[in-house]
Amino acid sequence: MTRNWLTIFRRRRRDSVPVNDLAPETLPRHVAIIMDGNGRWARSRGLPRPAGHHAGMGAMREVIRCSDDLGIQALTLYAFSTENWKRPRQEIQYLWHLVGEFFRTDMEELIERNVQVRFIGDTSKLPLQTQNFVRESIRLTAGNSGMIVQFALNYGSRAEIITAVRKLAEQVSDGVIKASEIDETVLSQLLETQGLPDPDLLIRTAGDVRISNFLLWQIAYAELYFTDLVWPEFTRTEYIRALQEYARRERRFGGLK
Ligand code: FPP
């Protein structure tokens, strides 16, 4: 894949920046989202599950655009967990197909927007074609200095923490670091999210009130926002509603007001 393939894609019309009352200083720096409910969205319309994932991709695109329009620094999207391999093969294949579709259709806009694309999770287990999209989107956006969009693909937080702990154990046995020198900063720097601020806001759609092995370390002090809306219904307006709710929260980080 070279820049040539980008030129064949139609330039997409950009939505205008939403009119809202969000002051920049009230915005989260990093938003993390568990995009749940695509299947239920499809079922409620008598459609097959892939139709729900396709609609979910549309919602994801709008949330990326809106985050960038607002000036949010980082957005992490849970697209495929280590547990999602338990799904039927066809559904999994469709999800990889969608990843390809998304990067084919949206890469030009992401580049125009100066977005840097990153991935967390073990992408080495994905189909080779998907790995190519992963590599190419990283390469094409590596020099971008705008918003960071992180896709969690084959991601599991416990696996991420175990990998970091193993590295630390090796460093201790190699004498690179003393066990007594291990602190939160040292461990954070070995996580896949290293270099990013921890999420300030975690959003989960579709009614379930759980974290599902997502960024367990990083969300220690995140504000949690749950909505019953299924992911394809999570529009720009709903996102702004979540950000407004976040702006009203009082964050104390364990201290006093
Ligand atoms: C959860 O809904 C959603 C997923 C497992 C997939 C998320 C994928 C997208 C939003 C599409 C595109 C992603 C990329 C990176 C292009 P569910 O299937 O668990 O819904 P259910 O709980 O109602 O069955």
Side-chain angles (χ1 to χ4, degrees):
M1 268 182 294
T2 65
R3 266 182 184 278
N4 289 341
W5 67 267
L6 289 174
T7 58
I8 63 171
F9 301 120
R10 229 172 351 108
R11 184 171 293 257
R12 305 181 71 84
R13 189 185 63 78
R14 279 197 195 170
D15 289 354
S16 55
V17 178
V19 177
N20 60 74
D21 57 0
L22 288 166
E25 65 278 8
T26 67
L27 286 171
R29 285 186 303 169
H30 183 173
V31 179
I33 308 185
I34 302 175
M35 307 180 289
D36 197 13
N38 291 347
R40 275 163 277 178
W41 181 90
R43 196 172 57 228
S44 69
R45 285 163 177 75
L47 296 170
R49 292 180 58 84
H53 293 312
H54 195 271
M57 182 174 71
M60 185 182 81
R61 178 182 288 128
E62 277 309 302
V63 164
I64 294 173
R65 286 176 176 161
C66 187
S67 303
D68 183 42
D69 290 340
L70 289 167
I72 285 169
Q73 278 179 37
L75 177 66
T76 301
L77 299 162
Y78 207 5
F80 194 91
S81 75
T82 45
E83 288 71 36
N84 286 151
W85 294 107
K86 294 175 197 154
R87 294 185 178 215
R89 213 165 70 100
Q90 269 193 325
E91 179 171 342
I92 295 174
Q93 279 172 345
Y94 184 74
L95 284 169
W96 302 138
H97 161 81
L98 264 193
V99 172
E101 181 179 328
F102 177 74
F103 286 112
R104 273 195 303 271
T105 55
D106 288 58
M107 186 51 74
E108 184 184 6
E109 179 175 341
L110 293 175
I111 291 171
E112 271 180 21
R113 284 178 176 270
N114 196 24
V115 164
Q116 188 185 114
V117 175
R118 295 189 192 178
F119 295 85
I120 55 172
D122 184 0
T123 55
S124 72
K125 301 288 186 301
L126 310 188
L128 287 180
Q129 212 188 8
T130 312
Q131 289 187 46
N132 287 338
F133 281 112
V134 165
R135 256 195 307 276
E136 275 304 286
S137 50
I138 293 171
R139 188 181 69 77
L140 289 166
T141 64
N144 291 354
S145 54
M147 182 175 72
I148 292 169
V149 177
Q150 245 180 181
F151 296 92
L153 291 183
N154 192 22
Y155 174 83
S157 184
R158 286 184 170 185
E160 177 191 30
I161 293 169
I162 287 169
T163 305
V165 170
R166 279 198 192 122
K167 283 183 196 155
L168 278 177
E170 279 166 19
Q171 289 181 6
V172 171
S173 73
D174 292 348
V176 177
I177 188 172
K178 292 192 190 111
S180 59
E181 288 167 349
I182 297 172
D183 60 13
E184 292 186 12
T185 309
V186 170
L187 184 70
S188 294
Q189 282 166 355
L190 289 172
L191 297 176
E192 296 182 68
T193 47
Q194 59 100 2
L196 286 187
D198 284 340
D200 303 295
L201 172 64
L202 173 80
I203 297 172
R204 180 173 188 143
T205 57
D208 287 326
V209 184
R210 54 177 169 252
I211 304 300
S212 303
N213 204 14
F214 189 42
L215 302 173
L216 298 177
W217 172 277
Q218 296 90 334
I219 60 163
Y221 286 101
E223 294 296 322
L224 309 181
Y225 181 90
F226 297 98
T227 169
D228 286 339
L229 289 172
V230 288
W231 176 247
E233 289 171 352
F234 195 74
T235 57
R236 202 176 253 255
T237 307
E238 292 303 329
Y239 187 35
I240 299 287
R241 206 187 303 280
L243 295 171
Q244 284 167 335
E245 159 78 24
Y246 169 82
R248 284 193 293 273
R249 301 257 179 108
E250 186 199 327
R251 302 186 78 197
R252 294 192 297 276
F253 300 96
L256 300 177
K257 193 177 171 189

